[in-house]
Structure formats: structure tokens, C-alpha cells
Amino acid sequence: NHLLMSVAWYQVSAEMEALYIQGFNIAEMRLGEVVKKEKGKLAVVVDIDETMLNNSPIEAESILKNRSFSKEFWAEWSAKSAAEATPGSVEFANFAKSKGVEIFYISNRDSSEIGSTIANLIKVGFPYADSSHCLFKTTTSNKEPRRLEVSKTHNIVMLIGDNLGDFAEVFDHRNDNYGKSSVDSLRSMFGKKFIVLPNPMYGDWEKAIWRGEKLSACKKDSARRSILKGF
């Protein structure tokens, strides 16, 4: 039940559509300015899930069929290569390509999913959908090593994602005010080099509520309620 309103909002609200279009419009404007000033081989690093591809059907399926999330459940969905592109994402990616900027997809999908994911990206029209531009999780969900790998050959001028960990390693640690202090310390980057997209369904924001502990569904619900502030 805790997912119901989030998934409903994500799938039917015009606000979701508007926020994604707004985010990619800002990204396009900023990139248009950046390419006039930056040197070298330029790159934009993007996350995949809830950034370029919409995976809300698996969240809806979990509600409708009362299925808990698992690696097997995710693999069943991922293998279908059926996710739709998020609003504005394909247009932005092709704009970047037209400006000579490469797209690198840094995702925490398992490396075994590269084939089905590339097929999905190609199906909906993304450029640079190949094994050299897809850097998936192998041993760690920390994306910093993979960003550093891209930076060896390219000048990363923009990062786009739905989770703060898509931008910098500092956001992987949310002990200080749920990560908001780190956001405040880098506020000048947002809307410029960092473009954040909305995802109320899941993410590190939720994990921060229970401080990384492994909790039962009942205790997770209690933890969510415990942080609410009424009047």
C-alpha cells in the first residue's frame, strides 16, 4: 500500500510528464551553452532506471499481484526489454549526439542485463546504446569508479539521474539530515551540471529512513511513520 500513490502519480500525473520535460529542457539549454566553452571529448553521464527508461510497470505489478521485489522478479521484467522512454529523454540524448557529445549509461543494473537493456534502449530510440557506453554494476553499487573510468577519456560536462548517487560519491552517505546537508553544500551544481528527475517510488532517500538496517515490512512502515512531521 505504501507504493500505491507513488506509482499512481508516476504513471498518470501530468505533473510527472511536465517535470521530466522540464528537466530535459534545462539539460538541453545547459548543454547548448557548455559545448561552446568546454574542450576535448565531451560526455553526458546518465542513469537508466527512472531516468531514461520508465520501469513503473514492475512497481504496479508488485501491487496488483502482491509480489515483493526480488532479483528474480526484476530479471523477469528486465528480460522483456519493454520499458518505455521517460518523457523528453530520447530527444535530449539525440540532441547531445547532434552536438558531438557522447552519452554514457552508468546503471546499477547487473552486468548480466546488458544485452536486454541495450535492446530496450535501441527499441525506444536512444543513441550510443552499445556495450562500450553501458557501464553496469559488477561488484559495487558505488558509481564513482565508473564515472572516473569515463573521465579518463572524456570531459563529463553533465550528469542526469533520479537518485543523488548518480552525481557524486558524497551523496552515497546520508547520515547528515538524510543527505540534505550534502545537497546544500553543492547547491550551485543543480540545474547546471546535475539534473535531477523525480522518483517517489524507491531510492536511497527511502533507505536513509531506516539507516541501512534490514527491516521487516512492518518495521519499515513504522520507520516511515516515525519521521513524519505534523503540525
Side-chain angles (χ1 to χ4, degrees):
N1 284 340
H2 73 279
L3 271 176
L4 184 55
M5 285 296 289
S6 299
V7 177
W9 181 89
Y10 199 88
Q11 292 196 331
V12 306
S13 77
E15 286 79 4
M16 177 275 194
E17 183 103 359
L19 283 168
Y20 272 84
I21 291 171
Q22 176 177 264
F24 284 113
N25 280 347
I26 292 170
E28 190 170 311
M29 286 188 290
R30 290 295 301 161
L31 191 61
E33 296 168 358
V34 165
V35 295
K36 297 173 183 177
K37 297 183 278 188
E38 294 289 338
K39 305 296 182 183
K41 294 174 67 176
L42 306 185
V44 172
V45 166
V46 300
D47 174 52
I48 292 179
D49 299 316
E50 281 51 75
T51 298
M52 311 307 270
L53 293 179
N54 175 349
N55 298 284
S56 63
I58 190 176
E59 305 296 340
E61 187 78 358
S62 72
I63 296 168
L64 296 170
K65 301 291 178 63
N66 195 28
R67 294 183 64 178
S68 299
F69 183 86
S70 66
K71 290 182 179 179
E72 294 74 22
F73 188 22
W74 171 260
E76 182 182 333
W77 161 248
S78 176
K80 293 179 180 294
S81 302
E84 296 179 353
T86 55
S89 58
V90 173
E91 293 84 352
F92 168 77
N94 282 296
F95 171 79
K97 182 180 179 181
S98 75
K99 295 295 182 180
V101 181
E102 293 182 49
I103 302 288
F104 284 87
Y105 303 89
I106 297 185
S107 169
N108 277 339
R109 290 188 175 207
D110 190 79
S111 56
S112 64
E113 299 175 69
I114 284 182
S116 61
T117 304
I118 289 175
N120 199 157
L121 293 170
I122 291 172
K123 183 190 297 185
V124 295
F126 284 109
Y128 301 110
D130 56 55
S131 58
S132 64
H133 288 86
C134 290
L135 287 72
F136 286 15
K137 183 173 73 173
T138 52
T139 58
T140 176
S141 59
N142 182 347
K143 293 184 174 182
E144 188 67 11
R146 285 169 278 168
R147 288 189 290 262
L148 292 173
E149 194 64 29
V150 174
S151 68
K152 289 178 182 178
T153 55
H154 292 70
N155 177 6
I156 299 174
V157 295
M158 185 177 291
L159 301 100
I160 305 177
D162 66 300
N163 191 74
L164 291 173
D166 297 328
F167 306 113
E169 191 172 25
V170 64
F171 297 121
D172 289 340
H173 313 287
R174 301 200 182 201
N175 293 332
D176 192 357
N177 195 21
Y178 301 102
K180 292 181 181 180
S181 297
S182 297
V183 170
D184 288 339
S185 70
L186 292 169
R187 61 170 55 234
S188 65
M189 303 289 279
F190 294 97
K192 295 180 181 177
K193 189 170 184 177
F194 300 161
I195 305 295
V196 187
L197 300 169
N199 178 5
M201 300 181 291
Y202 65 88
D204 288 343
W205 63 269
E206 188 180 21
K207 294 175 184 176
I209 295 173
W210 40 83
R211 305 295 185 184
E213 291 185 50
K214 291 188 180 296
L215 302 179
S216 66
C218 183
K219 288 186 176 180
K220 284 181 179 180
D221 184 66
S222 296
R224 293 185 193 102
R225 290 173 180 274
S226 72
I227 52 88
L228 297 179
K229 293 181 180 179
F231 62 87

